[in-house]
Amino acid sequence: MEAATCPVLDLAAAPVQQDRVKAWEYFRSGGDVSRLSNGDWCVTGVETVRYVMTHPELFSNSILNELEHCPVDLIPEGVDPPHHRRFRSRLNPPFAPQALDGMMDEFRRQAQELIGRFVQRGNCEIMEELARPFPATIFLTMMGLPASDTDLLIGMVRGINGGEPLTSGMSQKEYARECSEALTAYLREAIAQRRERPVDDLLSSIIAPMGDDQWTDDELLGFGYQFTLAGLDTVASTTGFVFRYLAQHPETRRDIIQDPSLIPPLIEELLRIENVVPFNHRRTVVDVELGGQIIPSGSTVWVSLATANMDPEHFSNPEQIDPNREAGHFAFGTGIHRCIGSHLARRELRVLVEEFHKQIPDYELASTPEAEIEWPAFILAWDAVPLVFSPPAQ
């Protein structure tokens, strides 16, 4: 099939802000492989998505370094085989379930502290008061960095991932570069401090040599930069979708309060259906034939995790939340670059839902102007999730 006959889809035409089910249907309408109006390529079906993400020798993940404005290779996501294994094997243990389970009491303490700031007020804005500060404090705790830097890091990450410039006359791209430079400087200083005075934290443990393997400052920066972006923004965005859904479904809220074991499967379904990272990106290393199309070497490929998660050939009634669903989703990707922080993200989300509902079981969305989701964007998020509730009796 000639490339000229390939369907062309307009990113701006997808109704992501109004109806994400229809938006992902729109992307699937181009078939397994299509072109985007910006000239890039798009793959959508479960099998094509899985193929692209499990063949790094054909589809390089190094493009991520450019998209995130990182001055060095992101570790481990921005590195392809065979070098990827060296970093992944070192990072797997601290992000394994057993290691994270030992931190759950601290996670709960931090969630309780944040909730305690607004519980007696009778209202809160989830994004500003819980979704963003919670994963930021977890990151700072794990890295052994000052809790007072929470707002500073949140601002940097939001700027890199598409936040509006605070300075008039500055483009978003310029602002992202400025925030990237600020985050880079922050992390380099933290690395230098830990090299001089190691303590009991994740950064110090990665700095310490393991046999003959000792990471350079650039490699440590690449790890810190990725951990900051992925750890703060994606969990925050997912938290907004989770609480907005629960605010609109009181029957589900009652179910999880009565039986907290229902929380993890509910979170899995919300991760699937409200995929906050709807696309991963790859760059072709050689000419690749896929879905009847020849994708030239050096092409940017949008790998649609969101459409794979809504593929009716893989998920029955994909638009419905079904906590009993057994088919695994693609919210964390697949293949060797699957999100290393998936176990951490799941635990953070579970802790927030459990601790919030222990103190605030009944709430609803506030009657304020309708919140929005920015699109096109690499990460989907509600700009606000305002809730109102009756303060608990003291």
Side-chain angles (χ1 to χ4, degrees), residues 363-374:
Y363 52 90
E364 60 186 19
L365 289 171
S367 300
T368 58
E370 184 64 26
E372 295 182 350
I373 296 174
E374 184 177 346

Side-chain angles (χ1 to χ4, degrees), residues 232-309:
L232 270 64
D233 225 10
T234 54
V235 172
S237 300
T238 302
T239 299
F241 281 102
V242 168
F243 277 91
R244 186 179 175 88
Y245 176 85
L246 288 169
Q248 295 173 317
H249 294 82
E251 70 289 349
T252 302
R253 198 164 63 235
R254 286 192 292 269
D255 288 344
I256 63 171
I257 291 172
Q258 293 175 0
D259 184 0
S261 71
L262 298 176
I263 293 174
L266 174 65
I267 288 173
E268 293 302 311
E269 274 291 87
L270 288 168
L271 284 164
R272 178 187 67 82
I273 203 168
E274 293 287 16
N275 201 152
V276 300
V277 184
F279 294 93
N280 274 190
H281 294 81
R282 299 290 189 270
R283 177 167 289 151
T284 49
V285 178
V286 297
D287 292 355
V288 180
E289 183 175 358
L290 187 67
Q293 302 290 333
I294 301 296
I295 306 178
S297 176
S299 297
T300 298
V301 180
W302 294 50
V303 189
S304 182
L305 307 178
T307 56
N309 278 337

Side-chain angles (χ1 to χ4, degrees), residues 196-212:
E196 185 177 341
R197 297 185 299 277
V199 295
D200 184 19
D201 60 30
L202 178 59
L203 183 55
S204 297
S205 71
I206 301 300
I207 288 175
M210 180 175 286
D212 295 330

Side-chain angles (χ1 to χ4, degrees), residues 100-146:
L100 296 170
D101 285 344
M103 302 182 67
M104 289 293 280
D105 287 346
E106 176 60 17
F107 291 178
R108 292 189 185 282
R109 185 194 69 77
Q110 293 183 2
Q112 291 164 2
E113 180 179 326
L114 288 170
I115 296 165
R117 296 176 185 178
F118 56 74
V119 64
Q120 292 299 328
R121 199 174 67 217
N123 66 80
C124 68
E125 200 288 283
I126 286 291
M127 300 306 298
E128 189 72 22
E129 299 185 84
L130 192 63
R132 295 191 188 104
F134 180 68
T137 57
I138 297 300
F139 165 82
L140 290 165
T141 298
M142 293 182 71
M143 295 288 274
L145 297 170

Side-chain angles (χ1 to χ4, degrees), residues 5 59 144 264 344:
T5 65
F59 301 91
L344 175 60

Side-chain angles (χ1 to χ4, degrees), residues 12 18 57 60 66 133-134 146 154 166 184 196 203 211 230 232 245 273 298 311 339 344 354 374 379:
Q18 298 81 22
E57 75 282 5
S60 172
E66 303 169 27
F134 180 68
I154 290 173
L166 301 179
T184 297
E196 185 177 341
L203 183 55
L232 270 64
Y245 176 85
I273 203 168
D311 190 335
C339 176
L344 175 60
E354 289 177 351
E374 184 177 346
I379 297 180

